[in-house]
Amino acid sequence: SAVISQKPSRDICQRGTSLTIQCQVDSQVTMMFWYRQQPGQSLTLIATANQGSEATYESGFVIDKFPISRPNLTFSTLTVSNMSPEDSSIYLCSVALYREGTEAFFGQGTRLTVV
Amino acid sequence: GIQVEQSPPDLILQEGANSTLRCNFSDSVNNLQWFHQNPWGQLINLFYIPSGTKQNGRLSATTVATERYSLLYISSSQTTDSGVYFCAVGFNTNAGKSTFGDGTTLTVKP
């Protein structure tokens, strides 16, 4: 498996501000993903972070709200822009690695509270 | 898209009891994983099991792909087993993109 480090692990932010979450992997990976987990809910895929091109967003998520960077094969950032209390969630970075099949591995998550 | 249903939504056990968690999915998939989310939010990989049976210590899992369900068995439960168990499914051609069920929240009481 890979070691996936996310920063920050938690933050409390004022509404209207933006927060950038970093995800660092200890090996080169082709596929990186960002998920959101709202309080008491399951995980929902926000977007696929593509190296060298724009991210691919899932229905209901837009680039203006969740801009993503992927400058190389080991690093990605997710920005949560113009935050409101509804953005309070855990944000998780994920990578896909091939072992027996294609398996997803997750960072420890960033717990965001917007006040 | 694929629908993933997990049952039961909540489960309370006494330490030492056994349990079975179920995951039903609406379409044929070739990628299925079970995760445990601990109280700190960390997702821990338990099994990659698109078909067949696997065991790891007190945990085992079985997926019957033709009938579109998977089962996670926990034997001799411990308080450290508490947390949320998620089933996630997908396709290897869509590598890494997973659809998660709503999870089963397990509470093991001492």
Side-chain angles (χ1 to χ4, degrees):
Chain A
S1 64
V3 176
I4 307 165
S5 303
Q6 272 187 246
K7 291 181 183 179
S9 58
R10 58 176 59 229
D11 208 341
I12 301 173
C13 299
Q14 295 291 322
R15 67 177 67 201
T17 63
S18 298
L19 176 71
T20 295
I21 303 167
Q22 299 180 1
C23 179
Q24 178 76 53
V25 188
D26 68 344
S27 59
Q28 293 186 342
V29 294
T30 304
M31 309 299 288
M32 292 182 75
F33 306 89
W34 288 98
Y35 287 80
R36 180 178 73 181
Q37 185 178 24
Q38 295 177 299
Q41 305 294 314
S42 185
L43 280 75
T44 301
L45 181 64
I46 298 172
T48 302
N50 302 308
Q51 195 268 331
S53 64
E54 278 197 2
T56 305
Y57 290 84
E58 298 299 307
S59 176
F61 297 96
V62 295
I63 187 171
D64 289 347
K65 177 66 176 177
F66 298 103
I68 288 171
S69 78
R70 179 87 193 272
N72 57 52
L73 292 174
T74 64
F75 186 78
S76 178
T77 66
L78 169 75
T79 299
V80 186
S81 302
N82 188 23
M83 290 183 286
S84 67
E86 292 71 35
D87 294 319
S88 298
S89 296
I90 299 174
Y91 292 87
L92 297 111
C93 169
S94 170
V95 303
L97 297 175
Y98 188 85
R99 298 200 304 185
E100 301 172 59
T102 304
E103 296 183 48
F105 293 88
F106 287 82
Q108 80 273 25
T110 296
R111 192 179 295 267
L112 171 63
T113 302
V114 183
V115 297
Chain B
I2 303 172
Q3 304 300 312
V4 183
E5 295 182 356
Q6 291 187 242
S7 60
D10 299 282
L11 187 58
I12 300 174
L13 301 173
Q14 286 297 130
E15 202 167 24
N18 302 328
S19 61
T20 301
L21 284 57
R22 186 176 180 104
C23 171
N24 292 334
F25 41 96
S26 63
D27 202 352
S28 298
V29 298
N30 55 16
N31 190 307
L32 189 147
Q33 292 182 254
W34 282 97
F35 296 90
H36 174 213
Q37 187 170 41
N38 64 25
W40 296 271
Q42 175 78 52
L43 275 169
I44 298 165
N45 292 48
L46 297 178
F47 293 103
Y48 169 80
I49 187 162
S51 64
T53 298
K54 289 185 178 179
Q55 181 159 5
N56 184 3
R58 295 182 296 104
L59 302 182
S60 63
T62 295
T63 298
V64 184
T66 54
E67 297 186 22
R68 300 180 187 173
Y69 74 88
S70 183
L71 302 174
L72 178 69
Y73 306 97
I74 304 173
S75 64
S76 304
S77 58
Q78 301 175 357
T79 56
T80 52
D81 294 331
S82 296
V84 184
Y85 289 80
F86 288 105
C87 167
V89 304
F91 300 96
N92 285 331
T93 52
N94 230 352
K97 292 178 67 171
S98 300
T99 300
F100 280 74
D102 287 340
T104 293
T105 300
L106 175 64
T107 303
V108 181
K109 295 188 172 183

